[in-house]
Amino acid sequence: MFASTTQAQELKYQDQQQLHDIQRQVSAERIEKDIRKLVSFGTRHTLSETQSETRGIGAARRWIKSEFDNISKACGGCLEVYFQSQTIQDEKRIPDATEVISVIAVQTGATDPNRYVMMSGDIDSRISDVMNYTDDSPGANDNASGVAGTLEAARILSQYKFNGSIVFAALAGEEQGLFGGKILAETAKKDGWRLKAVLNNDMIGNISGINGVINNTTARIFAEGTRYTETDAEARNRRYTGGEVDSPSRNLARYIDLMADRYIPNLDTMVVYRLDRFGRGGHHRPFNDLGFPGVRIMETNEHYERQHQDLRVEDGVTYGDTIDGVNFDYAAKLTSLNAVSLASMAWAPSPPAEVTIKGAVQPSTTLSWEALDKDQNKQLAGYKIYWRYTDAPQWQFSKFVGDVTNYTLENVVIDNYFFGVASVNQEGFESPVVFPGAAGAFGE
C-alpha cells in the first residue's frame, strides 16, 4: 500500500497515564446529584424567576456559581469564578430587557495563560412554547446534563496544573438565541484570547432514541467544514489546495475522536461533517462565527418526545425532559471524554502557526511552520508531521521531526495526501493537527 513512500510510518502515540487517571475519577453519582439539583429549580427558562432561592433561572445560576466557588476553594483558589452579564431586549424571544447571565470559571495556565481551551453546557431550559417561562421545564437532559458534566470536569481538572488555561462555562440564553455563547465569544475576541478549542456539551445523557435504538457506546461530534469567516481570496486558494474537511474544528473533532479511542472504555465517537444537527444549532456556533475552533459533543440517539415538550401524557405517550430519561453512567462517559481532551490540549504546546506546504510537480513534500514561543511553550519537544489519503476520515501516518521549523517528506507526493503538523511536549502530549494555510489555521 505504501511501497513508494519509504518515510511512511503508522500513527505512533505515547500513552499518558495521567489521562487514564482523569478518566477514572469522573463520578456518575456526582453528575446525577448535580442534574437532580438543576431539575429541582422547576424551570430554568431565561425569562423565569430571578429572585427566588429555590425556583427559576436566578436560583439555578447562583447555585452553579456556588459550586464553582466550592471547587475553587478546594484547590486553593485555582479558579477565577464570575458572572458574565449583558442585557438583551427587542429580540423575538427576548422582547423585554432581560439580563442574560452566564457563569464562567477559568483555570489559568502556568506558562501560556492567554491560550485557552473550553468546555461548556447550557443553563436554560424550555418546553413546547419557547416563551412559556412559568410552567415546569425540568431540562434534565437538555441541558442539565451538559452543565453537570462541566462542573464535574472542573472538579477533576482543578486538581492538576496545566500550561494553558481551561475555561468551564455554564452559558445562558441558549434556547432564546445562543446569547450566552455570543456574549462570551465576543468578549474572548475583544480581550484577545487565543481560544484553540470550544467543546460544547448539549444533551450528553440520553441513550434511548426515538428510533427505538438503545446505545450507550457511541457519541457524536459535530464539526463545521470551511470557516464561516473565510474570505473570498481564501476560498479561491482552497479550491486548488484543499482544506474543505480540514478546518480547525474538524481537526479538533479528530483529536477528540482519538482521545475516545485511547482513553474512554467502550466509547466510539462519530465525527459528523456538519455544524450541528440538520438545520439546527448549538452554543458552539457563536464561537465558530468568529473563527474559533468549536464542536458539539452529544448523544447519538435523540428522543424528540423528551425535548422541548410540555410535561404530559398524550395517546399513551409520555412527553417531557425528565430525570428518568437520563443515563448517568453515559453522561459520565462523555464527561470523561471532555476532561481528557481538555487536559491533553492544555498540557500540550500551542498548535503550530503559519503552517505552509509546497511540493507541486516534485517527488517530495515540504512543510514549514513558525517556531513556537519558548517562554510560553517551555514543555515543547518538537513537532510531528501527519498525513493521510485524501478520502480517509482520520490521520493515518505520522513522523516526529524534532524541534525544527520545516521538514521534507522524501518521495511522498503532495497530490496523493493531505498533510498537517502538531506540536509535541517532552512527555508526548500533542496539540491538534494543523492543516496548512488559512483553511486549517488555529490562529497565532
Side-chain angles (χ1 to χ4, degrees):
M1 180 178 179
F2 242 114
S4 63
T5 53
T6 57
Q7 294 286 336
Q9 301 180 21
E10 297 293 332
L11 283 187
K12 292 184 178 179
Y13 177 80
Q14 186 170 331
D15 190 68
Q16 303 295 340
Q17 184 58 47
Q18 291 177 95
L19 298 184
H20 290 292
D21 295 340
I22 287 169
Q23 179 272 322
R24 283 193 288 266
Q25 290 180 66
V26 173
S27 166
E29 290 74 22
R30 286 193 296 263
I31 290 172
E32 177 180 358
K33 182 179 178 181
D34 289 345
I35 293 175
R36 290 187 180 277
K37 181 65 176 181
L38 288 163
V39 168
S40 77
F41 293 112
T43 178
R44 303 187 306 279
H45 193 285
T46 300
L47 307 181
S48 66
E49 171 68 45
T50 62
Q51 299 303 311
S52 171
E53 290 303 317
T54 58
R55 184 175 179 84
I57 188 71
R61 66 194 178 216
R62 288 190 292 274
W63 175 79
I64 294 167
K65 185 176 184 298
S66 72
E67 286 299 298
F68 278 132
D69 285 336
N70 290 337
I71 294 167
S72 184
K73 184 177 179 180
C75 64
C78 73
L79 299 182
E80 178 190 1
V81 183
Y82 57 92
F83 288 125
Q84 184 173 72
S85 173
Q86 186 172 311
T87 299
I88 305 295
Q89 62 184 348
D90 300 326
E91 297 284 348
K92 183 178 180 181
R93 294 185 176 185
I94 307 182
D96 301 322
T98 302
E99 273 196 295
V100 174
I101 303 176
S102 299
V103 190
I104 312 298
V106 180
Q107 184 173 349
T108 302
T111 62
D112 195 3
N114 199 46
R115 172 169 60 95
Y116 297 87
V117 294
M118 186 179 105
M119 179 181 180
S120 69
D122 307 316
I123 303 173
D124 58 316
S125 63
R126 60 161 289 194
I127 47 178
S128 301
D129 178 0
V130 72
M131 301 304 291
N132 183 337
Y133 59 86
T134 56
D135 291 347
D136 280 353
S137 177
N141 187 44
D142 184 15
N143 187 28
S145 65
V147 173
T150 302
L151 286 167
E152 179 66 3
R155 291 188 188 101
I156 306 304
L157 298 185
S158 59
Q159 302 173 51
Y160 299 84
K161 294 187 183 302
F162 299 96
N163 299 95
S165 297
I166 303 177
V167 181
F168 305 98
L171 298 174
E174 193 263 354
E175 301 290 4
Q176 306 309 109
L178 310 177
F179 287 104
K182 291 176 184 177
I183 295 164
L184 181 52
E186 289 168 0
T187 301
K189 194 80 169 179
K190 178 175 66 71
D191 292 347
W193 284 15
R194 291 167 37 241
L195 183 55
K196 305 299 182 182
V198 175
L199 279 56
N200 171 40
N201 287 256
D202 195 343
M203 294 188 289
I204 61 170
N206 178 66
I207 64 171
S208 177
I210 192 70
N211 56 359
V213 173
I214 299 176
N215 185 336
N216 67 354
T217 65
T218 64
R220 293 179 292 180
I221 309 171
F222 286 89
E224 70 169 356
T226 55
R227 264 199 179 102
Y228 182 72
T229 56
E230 183 181 63
T231 67
D232 290 343
E234 289 168 349
R236 285 192 296 272
N237 185 64
R238 177 174 51 77
R239 184 182 184 192
Y240 296 98
T241 61
E244 296 83 358
V245 293
D246 277 278
S247 67
S249 294
R250 290 272 168 89
N251 277 316
L252 172 60
R254 291 187 179 101
Y255 187 94
I256 299 167
D257 177 61
L258 287 177
M259 289 294 108
D261 291 343
R262 292 162 176 157
Y263 296 105
I264 314 302
N266 204 26
L267 180 66
D268 183 39
T269 57
M270 175 196 311
V271 177
V272 183
Y273 286 1
R274 187 182 292 129
L275 174 65
D276 208 304
R277 285 84 42 82
F278 191 84
R280 303 174 73 183
H283 242 149
H284 55 303
R285 195 186 80 196
F287 296 91
N288 290 157
D289 287 348
L290 296 183
F292 294 122
V295 299
R296 177 180 183 145
I297 297 173
M298 70 176 301
E299 62 209 27
T300 302
N301 299 289
E302 296 181 66
H303 202 305
Y304 307 124
E305 293 165 354
R306 297 174 182 166
Q307 296 175 14
H308 301 174
Q309 295 285 348
D310 291 343
L311 304 180
R312 68 194 191 279
V313 177
E314 193 173 279
D315 297 328
V317 177
T318 300
Y319 293 86
D321 187 0
T322 54
I323 197 77
D324 55 306
V326 179
N327 183 289
F328 306 110
D329 289 329
Y330 180 72
K333 188 182 293 189
L334 268 60
T335 296
S336 65
L337 174 61
N338 281 265
V340 299
S341 299
L342 293 168
S344 182
M345 288 186 286
W347 269 318
S350 185
E354 300 295 333
V355 179
T356 61
I357 190 168
K358 61 182 181 180
V361 294
Q362 296 178 27
S364 302
T365 299
T366 299
L367 290 108
S368 302
W369 52 92
E370 189 177 82
L372 290 176
D373 186 305
K374 291 296 179 67
D375 290 328
Q376 294 176 340
N377 298 278
K378 299 179 188 297
Q379 76 278 34
L380 178 72
Y383 304 88
K384 183 183 283 190
I385 292 177
Y386 281 85
W387 65 105
R388 70 180 195 274
Y389 285 108
T390 61
D391 61 351
Q394 186 57 273
W395 296 105
Q396 296 172 293
F397 311 100
S398 67
K399 182 177 178 62
F400 181 72
V401 298
D403 189 5
V404 297
T405 57
N406 63 82
Y407 191 84
T408 298
L409 292 169
E410 301 291 346
N411 298 318
V412 180
V413 177
I414 195 172
D415 296 323
N416 297 340
Y417 309 94
F418 286 148
F419 300 84
V421 184
S423 57
V424 186
N425 84 352
Q426 293 158 4
E427 295 177 299
F429 287 99
E430 299 184 21
S431 76
V433 178
V434 180
F435 184 84
F442 276 72
E444 303 308 309

